[in-house]
């Protein structure tokens, strides 16, 4: 089957065709460039979901899928999972939690292995998002791996970034340490039926009161949810829609998309440089045994002996 035929099938909702296209993009096969050309365009809402492990990211994503499907929207999910130390593939925990949507033809869920990439995403996540947009999905959700404070790449990728917190996990302090006031667009206090939820909300609002904003600058709302029961999900969907409306004004969305493209280019350049300037074992041994220093070794790798 040609790439063009595969793209046509994927646009009609064929999951196997979509999976083949994503595999080509992720592995940068010989067909990757043609796939990208045939799937250019699209205007999906790209929603990032991040937060510490255990706050209920996958459960909330499942609830959001249900809400958007009720509205008649096609939804795709890239769930970034830790890589297996044996196979290098993704551990499919997130897909298990979203099993309620497994038979829905309007939903596509893909687990993506980090393959050692830091920052909560896989190196090819941005290309995967662009592909799914081009295949006609209305919403693309990217759920990060849940690595904690280093998980900031999602802000550059998503149009709207949701930061999930939960009571009883010390997340208020962790939020300050991670600098998430700058990266989150909507705060979600999940498991809000537990004691301490109101305290987390107060901590977030107190934190935001310390940040100076211009009159037309976005002010992050705090939404309380109980994702397991669907509580607060409609309010969260409304908050996401309101942020999208904010981005549509004053060319903010276009700026965000350009920043996303620039970040992807930088990531690909970085990956190419790592491959091009691989460190020889004998040079690493020389540094380890003290025969040379790391700075001199780096100059040798770069071919710069000046």
């Amino acid at each position: 089957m040609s790439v063009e035929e595969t793209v046509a099938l994927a646009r009609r909702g064929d999951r196997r065709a979509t999976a083949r296209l994503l595999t080509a993009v992720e592995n940068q096969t010989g067909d990757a460039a043609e796939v990208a050309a045939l799937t250019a365009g699209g205007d999906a809402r790209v929603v990032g979901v991040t937060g510490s492990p255990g706050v209920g990211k996958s459960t909330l994503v499942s609830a959001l899928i249900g809400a958007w499907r009720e509205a008649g929207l096609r939804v795709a999910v890239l769930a970034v999972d830790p890589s297996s130390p044996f196979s290098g593939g993704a551990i499919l925990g997130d897909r298990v939690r979203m099993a309620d949507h497994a038979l829905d033809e309007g939903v596509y869920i893909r687990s993506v292995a980090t393959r050692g990439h830091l920052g909560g995403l896989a190196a090819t996540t941005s290309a995967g998002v662009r592909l799914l947009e081009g295949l006609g999905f209305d919403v693309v959700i990217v759920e990060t791996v849940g690595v904690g404070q280093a998980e900031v790449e999602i802000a550059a990728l998503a149009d709207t970034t949701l930061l999930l917190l939960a009571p009883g996990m010390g997340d208020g302090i962790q939020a300050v340490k991670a600098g998430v006031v700058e990266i989150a667009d909507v705060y979600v206090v999940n498991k809000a039926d537990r004691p301490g939820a109101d305290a987390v909300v107060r901590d977030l609002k107190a934190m935001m009161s310390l940040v100076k904003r211009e009159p037309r600058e976005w002010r992050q709302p705090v939404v309380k949810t109980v994702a397991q029961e669907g509580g607060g999900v409609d309010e969260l969907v409304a908050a996401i829609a309101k942020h999208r409306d904010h981005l549509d004004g004053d060319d903010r969305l276009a700026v965000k998309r350009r920043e996303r493209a620039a970040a992807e280019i930088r990531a690909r350049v970085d990956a190419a440089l790592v491959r091009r300037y691989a460190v020889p074992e004998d040079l690493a041994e020389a540094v380890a045994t003290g025969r040379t220093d790391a700075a001199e070794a780096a100059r040798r790798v770069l071919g710069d002996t000046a």
Side-chain angles (χ1 to χ4, degrees):
M1 186 182 299
S2 69
V3 173
E4 191 170 351
E5 290 171 329
T6 306
V7 169
L9 278 175
R11 285 196 169 121
R12 291 197 295 270
D14 188 294
R15 294 185 179 181
R16 290 184 179 180
T18 303
R20 284 197 292 269
L21 295 173
L22 277 169
T23 298
V25 167
E26 289 171 1
N27 296 330
Q28 284 298 290
T29 64
D31 295 332
E34 185 179 359
V35 170
L38 289 172
T39 56
D43 188 30
R45 311 174 194 176
V46 182
V47 179
V49 180
T50 188
S52 303
V55 295
K57 294 191 296 296
S58 297
T59 305
L60 183 70
V61 167
S62 182
L64 286 171
I65 293 171
W68 277 316
R69 287 298 293 143
E70 285 185 10
L73 303 180
R74 291 182 69 207
V75 183
V77 180
L78 292 179
V80 184
D81 275 346
S83 296
S84 165
F86 303 104
S87 68
I91 300 170
L92 307 181
D94 290 327
R95 292 181 67 177
V96 171
R97 297 187 186 94
M98 301 176 201
D100 291 346
H101 307 285
L103 300 179
D104 188 342
E105 294 183 355
V107 178
Y108 181 80
I109 301 170
R110 171 89 162 194
S111 288
V112 182
T114 58
R115 303 184 185 184
H117 186 75
L118 301 177
L121 301 178
T124 55
T125 306
S126 183
V129 168
R130 190 181 300 105
L131 170 67
L132 293 168
E133 283 189 291
L135 292 178
F137 285 96
D138 301 298
V139 182
V140 179
I141 303 173
V142 180
E143 179 190 339
T144 69
V145 72
V147 297
Q149 296 173 34
E151 204 160 308
V152 296
E153 286 188 1
I154 188 64
L157 174 64
D159 300 330
T160 302
T161 300
L162 312 182
L163 174 72
L164 269 66
L165 305 104
M169 300 183 68
D171 274 339
I173 295 173
Q174 292 301 322
V176 177
K177 290 169 63 179
V180 291
V181 169
E182 289 78 20
I183 73 160
D185 299 305
V186 179
Y187 293 106
V188 183
V189 179
N190 194 32
K191 305 182 182 181
D193 54 341
R194 295 185 178 182
D198 290 337
V200 177
V201 173
R202 285 196 302 271
D203 287 346
L204 287 169
K205 289 183 177 179
M207 209 167 36
M208 287 186 288
S209 69
L210 302 175
V211 180
K212 293 183 179 180
R213 293 182 177 85
E214 298 299 324
R216 298 183 66 181
E217 193 173 349
W218 175 254
R219 294 177 180 270
Q220 300 98 321
V222 180
V223 181
K224 293 167 65 176
T225 61
V226 183
Q228 191 72 46
E229 301 172 3
V233 174
D234 289 342
E235 290 81 357
L236 178 56
V237 168
I240 295 169
K242 187 175 181 180
H243 183 251
R244 175 63 182 240
D245 291 341
H246 170 77
L247 290 177
D248 283 336
D250 297 335
D251 201 37
R252 294 185 185 93
L253 185 59
V255 171
K256 222 170 179 10
R257 295 295 173 91
R258 287 195 294 271
E259 290 173 350
R260 180 198 306 175
E264 182 181 358
I265 294 168
R266 284 194 297 270
R268 291 183 180 275
V269 169
D270 289 345
L273 289 174
V274 168
R275 290 192 298 270
R276 180 179 300 179
Y277 297 106
V279 178
E281 288 188 14
D282 59 341
L283 192 55
E285 177 67 19
V287 173
T289 55
R291 296 198 306 274
T292 188
D293 61 67
E296 174 60 27
R299 285 193 288 271
R300 292 186 193 177
V301 170
L302 294 170
D304 179 11
T305 56

